[in-house]
Amino acid sequence: MPLLRSRSTGNDGVMLRRPAGSRSALVGMLALLVFGVALWQNLSAVADSPFHPDESRWLNRSVYLRDVLQPTSEIWEDRYLTRGQPPMGSYVTGLGLFLQGHDLASNGPWDFHYGNEAATTWNAVKGNMPAPADLIAARRTSAVVGALTCVVVFLIVTSLIHWVGGLVGALFLAFHPLQLYLASLAVSDAVFTLFVAVATLAAINLAGKPSWPRAITLGVILGLGTSTKLSPVFAAIALAGLGGILLADGPLRRLPIAGTLWGRVMRGGTDRNARLGWMLLTMPAIAFATFVVSYPYLWPDPIGRTQTLLDFRQQEMENQARIWPDSAIESRAEAIQRTWHNLEHTYSTSGRVIATAGRAFGRDWAGLGVDIPLALAGLALFASLTAIRGFPTRQLLALAVVGAQSAVILAKLRIDFNRYYLPFVFVCALGVGFLAGQVWIWAQRALSHRHARAEFHSPRTVPLRHGLAAMERRRSVRGGG
């Protein structure tokens, strides 16, 4: 599928493809536009977003960047803060501070026993409140990361559907209230979502042209995502499962009856599918190796300490549910319901647009978003087109990454904190972009057919039609003789 399906119509009504160079230039210019708009949105909120105590801890842990090459440092000992979060978000925060000329770890970690965002005196006296300049610098880092995620959304949807859909999906994310909020705080949620997005794009590239460098790149990205929030390793496991299915492609095609049906579903030759299958099968190993290398805390016992991390994270979410019972999530049905409510009514791009329009008319239309129905329609359409085109395709691998990541979050969600929903905003942006891109393609086809019919019935084509009719009559007479 071409990166851009944009075409122009010549004077004679023939559809002419734009040269590849012009398509690439258009994609590049639109990507820069998306980055500029998203960065402008994020930076506009940097100074206004209220302080969150978690920001203190992320700035405190930015010192991890300094000690990443010192595995014997006391930083990597088995203690609460080191065990509490994998280090990649801290590395990115530290890199942002360093590039802006700020010191690393200039404040202590926030102690929630003695205050929260509404009670800061004790922590401020103890030196746990970040300096305003450091806080703004760390927030600017998140703003850049969030803008990059919007660019990746544009590239994903453009490569799979159409650049119009890519632009709509990217701007949907850029103007989303939750994206705007978390991309203007000094926390790691924007970093995590960026890794999920880049992994999706890397999976698309691997499916388009399977090669070991591309496979290793995808595995490394999943490992870096795991080093941010742990869950991407399960997306790597899902890809390995898909790889196992591809490895069974040859034997399944040889089955008497089921093999015929299987062959209709699968695309490509068995050799190519087997090669891609082996590549996908290595995803957990590459991702886990990257995770361990990036996290010196794990080096003494990679397996044991990874299990400690998973157990600790589970305990943390259970503690959060106990401390904030009103936000506790008791079942997977409730997890879906809360996700729907948050992304449909509390944080919504369409809701933001509708509320703005309501104010223009003197009406209160807040909370009337339609993000999820649009996103689900786009994702369902995309999934159906993927099934029709057969497997394995770029679309399938994109769905595998996005679907596995979303399933893991829903399965493990125990507390209704807004930051846990940002990856779903990314998925919604993809769905809205897919829908917009496909609608644009359908509209182009409808206009093209309408133009062709109008040309056929125009006075200019009457002699041509009469000539064709006469030729057909002569051919018929000769055949009858």
Side-chain angles (χ1 to χ4, degrees), residues 92-396:
V92 174
T93 301
L95 180 62
L97 291 173
F98 173 77
L99 292 177
Q100 296 176 75
H102 292 258
D103 294 333
L104 304 183
S106 58
N107 61 272
W110 195 269
D111 192 330
F112 285 90
H113 292 97
Y114 298 99
N116 51 30
E117 59 268 27
T120 62
T121 302
W122 188 93
N123 278 284
V125 170
K126 294 294 183 178
N128 299 337
M129 174 68 77
D134 293 335
L135 183 63
I136 293 298
R139 288 181 168 190
R140 282 197 294 260
T141 302
S142 292
V144 172
V145 169
L148 290 174
T149 305
C150 294
V151 173
V152 177
V153 167
F154 168 74
L155 296 176
I156 291 171
V157 182
T158 296
S159 66
L160 294 178
I161 299 291
H162 194 280
W163 67 263
V164 170
L167 188 60
V168 170
L171 293 179
F172 171 92
L173 181 61
F175 286 95
H176 196 280
L178 186 58
Q179 157 78 4
L180 181 61
Y181 172 61
L182 292 174
S184 62
L185 288 186
V187 293
S188 67
D189 301 279
V191 176
F192 171 60
T193 306
L194 176 60
F195 279 122
V196 174
V198 175
T200 305
L201 185 60
I204 292 169
N205 290 334
L206 174 61
K209 187 177 180 181
S211 68
W212 280 109
R214 294 188 179 202
I216 293 171
T217 299
L218 173 57
V220 168
I221 293 170
L222 289 170
L224 296 177
T226 304
S227 190
T228 308
K229 287 288 185 179
L230 293 180
S231 57
V233 73
F234 296 101
I237 294 172
L239 288 173
L242 181 59
I245 294 174
L246 293 178
L247 287 175
D249 180 29
L252 287 174
R253 291 197 192 205
R254 292 191 290 270
L255 294 176
I257 299 176
T260 302
L261 298 175
W262 179 261
R264 293 177 181 176
V265 172
M266 298 299 292
R267 289 185 56 187
T270 56
D271 291 342
R272 180 187 184 277
N273 290 344
R275 186 169 71 255
L276 179 58
W278 282 115
M279 294 173 186
L280 294 177
L281 207 62
T282 65
M283 287 301 108
I286 298 173
F288 185 70
T290 303
F291 174 50
V292 172
V293 169
S294 70
Y295 199 177
Y297 163 78
L298 300 174
W299 292 7
D301 183 8
I303 302 296
R305 288 199 168 186
T306 297
Q307 186 61 54
T308 299
L309 287 174
L310 294 171
D311 294 341
F312 180 84
R313 191 64 205 146
Q314 184 71 23
Q315 293 169 5
E316 280 288 279
M317 296 194 76
E318 291 173 357
N319 289 337
Q320 291 169 348
R322 185 172 58 254
I323 296 171
W324 292 280
D326 291 341
S327 298
I329 295 176
E330 302 296 340
S331 67
R332 298 314 90 205
E334 185 179 0
I336 295 173
Q337 185 273 328
R338 295 226 186 193
T339 301
W340 183 287
H341 182 271
N342 275 284
L343 300 186
E344 188 72 1
H345 304 294
T346 307
Y347 304 100
S348 169
T349 299
S350 59
R352 183 180 177 187
V353 173
I354 292 171
T356 301
R359 288 193 294 270
F361 291 100
R363 302 293 183 88
D364 182 11
W365 291 346
L368 298 179
V370 290
D371 285 10
I372 293 185
L374 292 175
L376 289 178
L379 292 171
L381 175 64
F382 185 68
S384 64
L385 292 175
T386 301
I388 291 171
R389 288 166 182 157
F391 307 123
T393 59
R394 299 182 304 157
Q395 292 84 354
L396 176 63

Side-chain angles (χ1 to χ4, degrees), residues 428-453:
C428 286
L430 295 183
V432 170
F434 294 151
L435 181 62
Q438 191 60 55
V439 168
W440 178 264
I441 291 172
W442 286 337
Q444 280 188 313
R445 290 174 181 171
L447 289 174
S448 176
H449 293 160
R450 182 178 179 182
H451 178 74
R453 286 195 300 271

